Amino acid sequence: MRHQIKIILFSCCTILFIVLMALSCQSPKNQTGGMLNNNAASAVYVAPGEYDEFYGFFSGGFSGQVSVYGLPSGRLLKVIPVFSQDAEKGYGYNEETKPMLNTTYGFIPWDDAHHPELSQTNGETDGRWLFINGNNTPRIARIDLTTFETAEIVEIPNSGGNHSSPFTTENTEYVVAGTRFGVPYPQQDVAINSYAENFKGMLTYVKVDGDGHMDIAFQVLLPAFDYDLAHSGKGKSHGWTFFTSYNTEEKYSLLEVNASQNDKDFIAAINWKKAEEYIAQGNFKEMPADYYVNRYDEKTHMATSNLKKSVKVLTPKDCPGLVYFLPTPKSPHGVDVDPTGEYIIGNGKLSADLTVHSFTNMLKAIEDEEFETTIEGVPVLKYDKVIGGVVTKPGLGPLHTEFDNDGNAYTTFFISSEVVKWKVGTWEVLDRIPTYYSVGHLMIPGGDSKKPQGKYLVALNKITKDRYLPTGPEMNHSAQLYDISGDKMKLLLDFPTVGEPHYAQGISADRIVSKSKKIYPIEENEHPYRALGEKETKVVREGKKVHIYMTTIRSHFAPDNIEGVRVGDEVYLHVTNLEQDFDVPHGVAVQGARNAELLIMPGQTETLLWKPQKEGVYPFYCTDFCSALHQEMQGYIRVSSATSNTPLSWSMGESES
Ligand code: RUQ
Ligand code: CUA
């Protein structure tokens, strides 16, 4: 029996192998170039101790996190917790970072994170920050790339499903957000079949200041279409943002049929410079809208959470010139702007061709008032007046396009499971290569900026199937790395990802490495419960709250013996890591704590809340193997009955004889 299974497996694999070989080795004689052409293994090999050339930031999708890979090796460097609690780092479990996950719905320790987006200066990735959207409970987060930690999260009100987000403008003036689902505006208890009267679609501009601090600048009130993706203009189209929409039918049930009726949906073009003028003129309505801005402070090592109460809303009827609709076949998903800023690619999922609008034509059509009609105050431009080109029958099910620095575009096709390379301007297809399988987004370092860094392309696939050893019914998603330095694309590497990597961003390592922080200077620590040396350690009781000011240094805690804690107390372990050496964190965990451990970086203070349940003596210990005597890095907390009068005491290294 077992023998038979083996044979079946063997023959399946053999057939598959032949098929895959046939698919991936299409006319090898045509492979004209690529410095990496002949040896895929050495092209991705980064010798032990050497660094990768690029960072790749991959969204975790439903894991709510970002994972950081080195490219070309595909080595996982780090997982950065963003919207989800992370037991590994204590993020969202310690008292300092809990406020990061505050929303108007309460504490939400999860989200669905789709699109990482690097900050830009003059349209080039600058390595300062990485933004990412939370899709489910609409939010945008900013990660500081000096620390690789989540520094800020802003909630997006009047929105349902923040999918077309957080794409940036060319100097990171704004990151944008657009509602994927039409929702009642204002949110209220109405019949779902009152969609036509009560539902709206809100697009949001979040201002980013020089320190990276975010807040909502304004919102634009539009019809209740589903706004799917976005990209801002660059170069000549700087000042505009383009949002795709589907469900321009405005249906609310069985969308797979009902939202696929219209021949064309729209790309909404927003003139955000015009919006700024209207705001400056006071031509907006200040509308009540609750949302949180959560910020982590690197000096206090704590996050604070601020409730905001209103937003400025612009309505197209009152703001001529603010929004135009560009008809685009058919249910477009991604919208991508080429490096020159002239071409706007609408990736119509259900369209046989790829539609490319011309920015120049768009401006001309606006000037000549070439309008088909007007919807809720938004002029619909004539399709044949804005079209700049068509890539004819390139593949099935286009989703996303990125660019290299040589005037080429690369589009993913989900249904035909391939990446197709084509020429911007002539629209001819130059090359195609299969993906394994069903590719969604793709990423070229800098591939959505003014200056793509090129060299590699990463396909982010939705289905993995037989690419790795099976791991039960669930297989991690696959990413595939291609060499795009030659005329023909070449597959170099497969590697698994964390969660669902909807999208990724890549950047050459030199734009980040020199700014990377190694420690937090202890003298700058302004945490209210810090202990800047063992002399400052103490235990303080305030009613039922017990504050333990604790320090760590290789290889002990101070204090490490604590008595006088009672059942029913709230015990706060405020732990300061006194180390000032790169890569020497300490951890702390205590038996029976209902959250996680802490992982405290050199110079940082973090707090674990522990509510002892039962009398006894409970060990705590360091969770991160920090020195030869790491196993000795431990201590005890004695817990007495709720009514006991064991005096509060603490010590470390008292003579035990
Ligand atoms: S998605 S596969 Cu960006 Cu969430 Cu397109
Ligand atoms: Cu400190 Cu292990």
Side-chain angles (χ1 to χ4, degrees):
M1 183 60 191
R2 197 189 283 167
H3 188 66
Q4 266 178 358
I5 290 172
K6 263 193 194 151
I7 289 172
I8 292 166
L9 268 176
F10 174 75
S11 48
C12 283
C13 290
T14 312
I15 292 165
L16 189 79
F17 180 73
I18 293 166
V19 170
L20 293 184
M21 285 306 286
L23 280 170
S24 61
C25 300
Q26 354 157 287
S27 48
K29 347 174 195 58
N30 288 343
Q31 303 223 344
T32 50
M35 49 170 188
L36 310 172
N37 204 18
N38 290 319
N39 195 339
S42 68
V44 300
Y45 182 69
V46 178
E50 310 242 300
Y51 291 172
D52 278 285
E53 187 180 352
F54 292 94
Y55 282 99
F57 296 95
F58 291 54
S59 73
F62 38 73
S63 87
Q65 318 287 49
V66 165
S67 44
V68 187
Y69 286 86
L71 300 176
S73 72
R75 296 185 293 192
L76 177 64
L77 304 177
K78 186 172 198 170
V79 174
I80 305 172
V82 184
F83 297 111
S84 297
Q85 283 178 309
D86 182 47
E88 181 192 332
K89 297 179 178 65
Y91 177 86
Y93 288 107
N94 63 40
E95 295 307 292
E96 285 76 9
T97 53
K98 277 181 188 168
M100 294 299 284
L101 303 177
N102 259 355
T103 75
T104 52
Y105 304 89
F107 178 76
I108 301 208
W110 172 80
D111 215 309
D112 185 15
H114 285 215
H115 305 120
E117 173 84 345
L118 288 160
S119 56
Q120 296 185 4
T121 304
N122 295 323
E124 274 190 75
T125 56
D126 58 25
R128 285 183 295 167
W129 308 307
L130 182 79
F131 300 90
I132 187 161
N133 62 325
N135 204 22
N136 183 57
T137 303
R139 288 177 273 182
I140 294 177
R142 178 176 58 88
I143 293 162
D144 183 335
L145 292 179
T146 65
T147 59
F148 283 60
E149 287 189 16
T150 304
E152 200 160 320
I153 295 182
V154 55
E155 193 179 0
I156 311 293
N158 299 319
S159 200
N162 180 33
H163 195 262
S164 43
S165 178
F167 305 96
T168 181
T169 53
E170 92 175 15
N171 292 299
T172 321
E173 292 92 343
Y174 297 97
V175 288
V176 301
T179 195
R180 172 165 156 214
F181 309 111
V183 284
Y185 177 74
Q187 190 55 272
Q188 59 192 301
D189 170 17
V190 291
I192 297 168
N193 68 13
S194 72
Y195 195 97
E197 306 95 80
N198 289 320
F199 286 49
K200 289 285 173 197
M202 196 69 97
L203 306 183
T204 305
Y205 280 73
V206 173
K207 183 82 198 150
V208 185
D209 75 13
D211 296 320
H213 296 323
M214 301 186 288
D215 201 352
I216 294 172
F218 56 89
Q219 298 196 305
V220 182
L221 187 65
L222 290 180
F225 307 155
D226 292 32
Y227 297 91
D228 206 12
L229 279 143
H231 263 106
S232 284
K234 43 182 89 107
K236 61 167 74 167
S237 52
H238 178 58
W240 293 75
T241 310
F242 307 94
F243 291 82
T244 45
S245 69
Y246 62 101
N247 193 25
T248 51
E249 296 85 352
E250 300 194 68
K251 300 298 186 201
Y252 47 86
S253 180
L254 197 62
L255 261 62
E256 71 170 317
V257 178
N258 291 331
S260 304
Q261 307 295 311
N262 290 348
D263 222 33
K264 297 189 181 70
D265 299 276
F266 300 121
I267 288 173
I270 310 273
N271 184 341
W272 59 260
K273 292 230 162 133
K274 193 109 208 150
E276 288 178 337
E277 288 170 24
Y278 283 124
I279 295 288
Q281 292 159 13
N283 196 3
F284 59 84
K285 289 199 188 76
E286 189 85 38
M287 301 295 286
D290 288 359
Y291 65 98
Y292 274 100
V293 176
N294 306 325
R295 232 169 241 174
Y296 184 82
D297 182 310
E298 240 178 65
K299 295 272 165 69
T300 62
H301 301 286
M302 289 176 95
T304 47
S305 191
N306 280 309
L307 181 64
K308 304 283 182 122
K309 300 296 268 181
S310 71
V311 287
K312 298 177 170 64
V313 175
L314 297 169
T315 308
K317 274 201 201 80
D318 308 329
C319 301
L322 176 65
V323 195
Y324 298 92
F325 286 145
L326 284 59
T328 307
K330 186 175 180 176
S331 299
H333 184 57
V335 54
D336 301 287
V337 181
D338 86 305
T340 68
E342 167 62 11
Y343 293 112
I344 302 138
I345 291 91
N347 302 264
K349 304 193 285 276
L350 307 176
S351 166
D353 302 328
L354 204 57
T355 307
V356 183
H357 296 303
S358 148
F359 181 72
T360 310
N361 293 351
M362 183 191 92
L363 290 187
K364 177 90 170 45
I366 291 169
E367 199 184 301
D368 298 346
E369 303 196 0
E370 297 279 8
F371 304 150
E372 233 165 58
T373 176
T374 297
I375 302 172
E376 296 187 29
V378 182
V380 179
L381 299 172
K382 288 188 183 144
Y383 173 74
D384 56 349
K385 298 292 177 191
V386 291
I387 191 87
V390 171
V391 186
T392 314
K393 302 212 167 37
L396 296 177
L399 291 181
H400 298 280
T401 301
E402 296 237 321
F403 306 89
D404 65 17
N405 217 1
D406 304 313
N408 302 305
Y410 301 77
T411 301
T412 54
F413 291 85
F414 178 82
I415 299 170
S416 52
S417 201
E418 58 187 336
V419 175
V420 173
K421 175 179 177 182
W422 50 276
K423 193 89 205 153
V424 178
T426 69
W427 323 120
E428 68 188 301
V429 170
L430 302 173
D431 189 24
R432 59 179 66 240
I433 195 163
T435 58
Y436 307 99
Y437 304 91
S438 301
V439 60
H441 278 269
L442 76 171
M443 178 274 273
I444 294 170
D448 72 339
S449 74
K450 242 156 102 171
K451 292 243 177 76
Q453 297 188 292
K455 199 159 177 181
Y456 300 110
L457 179 157
V458 179
L460 301 152
N461 303 321
K462 301 299 188 189
I463 295 167
T464 305
K465 280 192 176 162
D466 44 35
R467 297 303 285 181
Y468 321 122
L469 289 174
T471 51
E474 196 216 347
M475 295 284 287
N476 273 19
H477 284 243
S478 81
Q480 292 184 295
L481 183 80
Y482 298 84
D483 168 18
I484 57 165
S485 60
D487 293 341
K488 298 284 170 189
M489 296 176 275
K490 189 180 178 218
L491 177 59
L492 298 176
L493 183 71
D494 269 29
F495 57 95
T497 61
V498 180
E500 181 175 345
H502 282 257
Y503 185 41
Q505 290 263 279
I507 184 170
S508 58
D510 57 358
R511 294 189 187 174
I512 290 182
V513 170
S514 59
K515 294 179 254 179
S516 192
K517 232 189 189 111
K518 298 205 158 52
I519 57 159
Y520 295 99
I522 189 93
E523 66 278 5
E524 290 176 14
N525 184 325
E526 290 168 14
H527 192 292
Y529 294 95
R530 67 192 178 270
L532 296 185
E534 289 181 4
K535 287 209 186 77
E536 295 184 15
T537 60
K538 59 186 171 183
V539 181
V540 178
R541 174 179 284 285
E542 289 167 6
K544 285 206 170 295
K545 293 190 164 103
V546 177
H547 293 283
I548 303 174
Y549 295 67
M550 187 181 274
T551 61
T552 62
I553 195 155
R554 282 162 288 179
S555 299
H556 60 270
F557 292 98
D560 65 0
N561 281 199
I562 296 158
E563 301 200 351
V565 167
R566 299 177 200 136
V567 170
D569 281 345
E570 281 180 12
V571 181
Y572 294 87
L573 290 102
H574 306 288
V575 187
T576 302
N577 182 354
L578 298 176
E579 306 279 358
Q580 291 287 274
D581 281 343
F582 182 33
D583 199 29
V584 188
H586 293 282
V588 67
V590 59
Q591 184 175 343
R594 290 183 173 179
N595 35 29
E597 49 104 54
L598 302 177
L599 191 66
I600 312 138
M601 296 306 126
Q604 206 176 29
T605 305
E606 287 192 7
T607 303
L608 186 85
L609 170 58
W610 173 51
K611 298 178 183 169
Q613 318 282 312
K614 300 184 256 185
E615 291 164 37
V617 177
Y618 296 99
F620 62 92
Y621 71 101
C622 175
T623 47
D624 186 285
F625 205 109
C626 51
S627 71
L629 296 173
H630 155 81
Q631 287 298 82
E632 282 72 10
M633 203 166 163
Q634 62 182 59
Y636 289 105
I637 304 179
R638 175 180 170 191
V639 177
S640 304
S641 78
T643 53
S644 94
N645 44 27
T646 311
L648 201 60
S649 68
W650 61 93
S651 63
M652 190 260 301
E654 307 278 91
S655 149
E656 294 196 15
S657 54

PDB file of all heavy atoms in Angstrom, residues 629-640:
ATOM      1  N   LEU A 629      25.556  32.967  31.293  1.00  0.00           N
ATOM      2  CA  LEU A 629      24.819  32.746  32.540  1.00  0.00           C
ATOM      3  C   LEU A 629      23.353  33.174  32.412  1.00  0.00           C
ATOM      4  O   LEU A 629      22.717  33.563  33.380  1.00  0.00           O
ATOM      5  CB  LEU A 629      25.524  33.476  33.690  1.00  0.00           C
ATOM      6  CG  LEU A 629      26.936  32.917  33.953  1.00  0.00           C
ATOM      7  CD1 LEU A 629      27.678  33.764  34.977  1.00  0.00           C
ATOM      8  CD2 LEU A 629      26.869  31.460  34.417  1.00  0.00           C
ATOM      9  N   HIS A 630      22.862  33.091  31.184  1.00  0.00           N
ATOM     10  CA  HIS A 630      21.458  33.420  30.939  1.00  0.00           C
ATOM     11  C   HIS A 630      20.528  32.551  31.776  1.00  0.00           C
ATOM     12  O   HIS A 630      19.541  33.033  32.336  1.00  0.00           O
ATOM     13  CB  HIS A 630      21.141  33.258  29.452  1.00  0.00           C
ATOM     14  CG  HIS A 630      19.717  32.980  29.152  1.00  0.00           C
ATOM     15  ND1 HIS A 630      18.759  33.967  29.097  1.00  0.00           N
ATOM     16  CD2 HIS A 630      19.069  31.808  28.909  1.00  0.00           C
ATOM     17  CE1 HIS A 630      17.583  33.413  28.820  1.00  0.00           C
ATOM     18  NE2 HIS A 630      17.743  32.106  28.705  1.00  0.00           N
ATOM     19  N   GLN A 631      20.851  31.268  31.895  1.00  0.00           N
ATOM     20  CA  GLN A 631      19.965  30.376  32.663  1.00  0.00           C
ATOM     21  C   GLN A 631      19.913  30.788  34.136  1.00  0.00           C
ATOM     22  O   GLN A 631      18.954  30.485  34.830  1.00  0.00           O
ATOM     23  CB  GLN A 631      20.404  28.913  32.547  1.00  0.00           C
ATOM     24  CG  GLN A 631      20.121  28.260  31.195  1.00  0.00           C
ATOM     25  CD  GLN A 631      18.663  28.187  30.818  1.00  0.00           C
ATOM     26  OE1 GLN A 631      18.113  29.166  30.312  1.00  0.00           O
ATOM     27  NE2 GLN A 631      18.007  27.058  31.055  1.00  0.00           N
ATOM     28  N   GLU A 632      20.941  31.472  34.595  1.00  0.00           N
ATOM     29  CA  GLU A 632      20.956  31.945  35.988  1.00  0.00           C
ATOM     30  C   GLU A 632      20.151  33.235  36.158  1.00  0.00           C
ATOM     31  O   GLU A 632      19.981  33.732  37.267  1.00  0.00           O
ATOM     32  CB  GLU A 632      22.399  32.190  36.447  1.00  0.00           C
ATOM     33  CG  GLU A 632      23.173  30.938  36.812  1.00  0.00           C
ATOM     34  CD  GLU A 632      23.566  30.083  35.611  1.00  0.00           C
ATOM     35  OE1 GLU A 632      23.407  30.536  34.457  1.00  0.00           O
ATOM     36  OE2 GLU A 632      24.046  28.949  35.832  1.00  0.00           O
ATOM     37  N   MET A 633      19.692  33.802  35.056  1.00  0.00           N
ATOM     38  CA  MET A 633      19.029  35.101  35.121  1.00  0.00           C
ATOM     39  C   MET A 633      17.569  34.879  35.497  1.00  0.00           C
ATOM     40  O   MET A 633      16.696  34.708  34.646  1.00  0.00           O
ATOM     41  CB  MET A 633      19.159  35.799  33.765  1.00  0.00           C
ATOM     42  CG  MET A 633      19.029  37.299  33.888  1.00  0.00           C
ATOM     43  SD  MET A 633      19.572  38.147  32.426  1.00  0.00           S
ATOM     44  CE  MET A 633      18.800  39.729  32.775  1.00  0.00           C
ATOM     45  N   GLN A 634      17.309  34.841  36.787  1.00  0.00           N
ATOM     46  CA  GLN A 634      16.005  34.434  37.298  1.00  0.00           C
ATOM     47  C   GLN A 634      15.747  35.078  38.643  1.00  0.00           C
ATOM     48  O   GLN A 634      16.659  35.642  39.254  1.00  0.00           O
ATOM     49  CB  GLN A 634      15.954  32.914  37.431  1.00  0.00           C
ATOM     50  CG  GLN A 634      16.965  32.356  38.422  1.00  0.00           C
ATOM     51  CD  GLN A 634      16.929  30.836  38.490  1.00  0.00           C
ATOM     52  OE1 GLN A 634      17.130  30.165  37.496  1.00  0.00           O
ATOM     53  NE2 GLN A 634      16.664  30.316  39.676  1.00  0.00           N
ATOM     54  N   GLY A 635      14.509  34.993  39.118  1.00  0.00           N
ATOM     55  CA  GLY A 635      14.176  35.555  40.422  1.00  0.00           C
ATOM     56  C   GLY A 635      12.853  35.002  40.911  1.00  0.00           C
ATOM     57  O   GLY A 635      12.235  34.148  40.245  1.00  0.00           O
ATOM     58  N   TYR A 636      12.415  35.461  42.125  1.00  0.00           N
ATOM     59  CA  TYR A 636      11.165  34.974  42.711  1.00  0.00           C
ATOM     60  C   TYR A 636      10.302  36.131  43.194  1.00  0.00           C
ATOM     61  O   TYR A 636      10.814  37.115  43.733  1.00  0.00           O
ATOM     62  CB  TYR A 636      11.454  34.075  43.914  1.00  0.00           C
ATOM     63  CG  TYR A 636      12.052  32.735  43.544  1.00  0.00           C
ATOM     64  CD1 TYR A 636      13.407  32.491  43.750  1.00  0.00           C
ATOM     65  CD2 TYR A 636      11.252  31.724  43.006  1.00  0.00           C
ATOM     66  CE1 TYR A 636      13.967  31.269  43.417  1.00  0.00           C
ATOM     67  CE2 TYR A 636      11.809  30.499  42.668  1.00  0.00           C
ATOM     68  CZ  TYR A 636      13.165  30.275  42.876  1.00  0.00           C
ATOM     69  OH  TYR A 636      13.709  29.071  42.538  1.00  0.00           O
ATOM     70  N   ILE A 637       9.004  35.965  43.056  1.00  0.00           N
ATOM     71  CA  ILE A 637       8.063  36.887  43.695  1.00  0.00           C
ATOM     72  C   ILE A 637       7.153  36.052  44.594  1.00  0.00           C
ATOM     73  O   ILE A 637       6.536  35.079  44.140  1.00  0.00           O
ATOM     74  CB  ILE A 637       7.210  37.658  42.662  1.00  0.00           C
ATOM     75  CG1 ILE A 637       8.112  38.399  41.659  1.00  0.00           C
ATOM     76  CG2 ILE A 637       6.276  38.649  43.378  1.00  0.00           C
ATOM     77  CD1 ILE A 637       7.367  39.161  40.578  1.00  0.00           C
ATOM     78  N   ARG A 638       7.135  36.446  45.866  1.00  0.00           N
ATOM     79  CA  ARG A 638       6.281  35.738  46.823  1.00  0.00           C
ATOM     80  C   ARG A 638       4.907  36.392  46.825  1.00  0.00           C
ATOM     81  O   ARG A 638       4.799  37.612  46.970  1.00  0.00           O
ATOM     82  CB  ARG A 638       6.909  35.820  48.211  1.00  0.00           C
ATOM     83  CG  ARG A 638       6.037  35.215  49.284  1.00  0.00           C
ATOM     84  CD  ARG A 638       6.734  35.327  50.632  1.00  0.00           C
ATOM     85  NE  ARG A 638       5.824  34.977  51.716  1.00  0.00           N
ATOM     86  CZ  ARG A 638       6.097  35.195  52.998  1.00  0.00           C
ATOM     87  NH1 ARG A 638       7.251  35.762  53.348  1.00  0.00           N
ATOM     88  NH2 ARG A 638       5.219  34.865  53.933  1.00  0.00           N
ATOM     89  N   VAL A 639       3.875  35.553  46.691  1.00  0.00           N
ATOM     90  CA  VAL A 639       2.503  36.057  46.687  1.00  0.00           C
ATOM     91  C   VAL A 639       1.786  35.526  47.925  1.00  0.00           C
ATOM     92  O   VAL A 639       1.677  34.309  48.113  1.00  0.00           O
ATOM     93  CB  VAL A 639       1.753  35.619  45.409  1.00  0.00           C
ATOM     94  CG1 VAL A 639       0.305  36.082  45.452  1.00  0.00           C
ATOM     95  CG2 VAL A 639       2.456  36.164  44.164  1.00  0.00           C
ATOM     96  N   SER A 640       1.327  36.438  48.763  1.00  0.00           N
ATOM     97  CA  SER A 640       0.628  36.057  49.989  1.00  0.00           C
ATOM     98  C   SER A 640      -0.876  36.247  49.806  1.00  0.00           C
ATOM     99  O   SER A 640      -1.321  36.768  48.781  1.00  0.00           O
ATOM    100  CB  SER A 640       1.132  36.915  51.151  1.00  0.00           C
ATOM    101  OG  SER A 640       2.542  36.790  51.260  1.00  0.00           O
TER     102      SER A 640
END
